[in-house]
Amino acid sequence: MNQHTYIYTSSRGKVLEGKVRCKTLRVVPGGKLETLCKYAYDDLKDIDGLKIVYFIAGIPDICSLERNRRSNYEESFLKRTDNSCFEHALRLKNTIVNTETKLKSINCKVVFATITTMSFCLWNLHRLSIGKTSHLKYENAYDRMQLELNSIIQDVNNFITEFNQTNHVITPFFILLYINVRVENLDICITD
């Protein structure tokens, strides 16, 4: 990567700090792709020449976070609708297409990284164990949510790979980097 390269990411991409050379690495905790696109557009619209923009996003676009600070409650979960998996995936795919269209208008080559999964069980139980939440409402639904999340991610990752290929760019697969960093911090989850 070089001085014409920009990375916009939710907190997942924080592991890249100090590990990649680029003009900008902007980490937005909880950043949805639409928000990251707005930041990129605002930052880059007045810069001449070709710009290569990478996006590392996804989990905040798919999952929800319920939070009530007065009752010391927060929990990450997957909202359920009749066509839950289809709707989540379609909405994110549309956002990907819209992001690429918007940034292409200011001479950006856009590259989307695949989405790494997360564990509802481990994340929420960790937050409970460190006192960031006093209780969990959705614990009994984590297994169902996890299956649906993994299905959505697989569908969207297939779309991302094909979309990037159509745009003649190579898809970054950050799953290995993310797993290695988490293992070093002993935050391991192996599920069936």
Side-chain angles (χ1 to χ4, degrees):
M1 294 189 199
N2 58 40
Q3 293 304 307
H4 305 288
T5 303
Y6 304 82
I7 301 173
Y8 292 83
T9 177
S10 63
S11 56
R12 296 242 153 160
K14 187 174 174 129
V15 299
L16 296 175
E17 287 179 338
K19 293 181 174 70
V20 295
R21 285 180 295 145
C22 60
K23 183 78 172 173
T24 300
L25 172 61
R26 187 163 192 168
V27 178
V28 181
K32 294 185 177 187
L33 183 54
E34 195 171 297
T35 302
L36 298 174
C37 175
K38 182 184 178 322
Y39 283 129
Y41 186 87
D42 290 345
D43 291 349
L44 304 175
K45 66 185 177 200
D46 297 324
I47 296 175
D48 292 330
L50 178 65
K51 298 154 294 266
I52 302 167
V53 182
Y54 287 83
F55 287 100
I56 306 167
I59 291 294
D61 291 280
I62 300 168
C63 299
S64 298
L65 179 66
E66 188 173 330
R67 181 179 281 155
N68 183 331
R69 293 189 196 280
R70 284 178 290 165
S71 65
N72 189 33
Y73 169 72
E74 75 169 37
E75 190 169 10
S76 183
F77 67 99
L78 186 64
K79 281 188 182 174
R80 182 80 190 232
T81 63
D82 290 340
N83 295 317
S84 186
C85 290
F86 175 77
E87 289 174 11
H88 285 295
L90 182 61
R91 188 172 35 255
L92 186 49
K93 290 175 188 179
N94 287 335
T95 304
I96 288 168
V97 171
N98 294 339
T99 296
E100 196 261 349
T101 301
K102 184 171 185 168
L103 290 177
K104 199 173 186 181
S105 74
I106 59 168
N107 201 24
C108 293
K109 187 76 158 176
V110 181
V111 183
F112 297 94
T114 54
I115 303 166
T116 58
T117 194
M118 56 89 69
S119 168
F120 290 108
C121 181
L122 282 184
W123 176 254
N124 290 321
L125 288 175
H126 170 71
R127 302 298 282 173
L128 182 66
S129 74
I130 62 171
K132 294 291 184 180
T133 189
S134 61
H135 63 285
L136 300 173
K137 293 182 189 178
Y138 304 108
E139 192 171 7
N140 292 335
Y142 290 163
D143 288 341
R144 175 196 51 80
M145 288 181 199
Q146 195 66 55
L147 290 173
E148 290 181 14
L149 175 64
N150 292 343
S151 176
I152 293 164
I153 289 174
Q154 182 176 12
D155 183 22
V156 173
N157 281 346
N158 289 338
F159 177 81
I160 287 171
T161 303
E162 290 173 19
F163 191 79
N164 284 338
Q165 188 174 13
T166 300
N167 288 322
H168 308 289
V169 296
I170 297 171
T171 302
F173 294 91
F174 287 114
I175 183 74
L176 296 176
L177 177 62
Y178 184 73
I179 287 172
N180 288 338
V181 170
R182 300 317 296 171
V183 168
E184 288 172 12
N185 292 328
L186 301 175
D187 191 8
I188 302 170
C189 174
I190 301 173
T191 58
D192 296 300

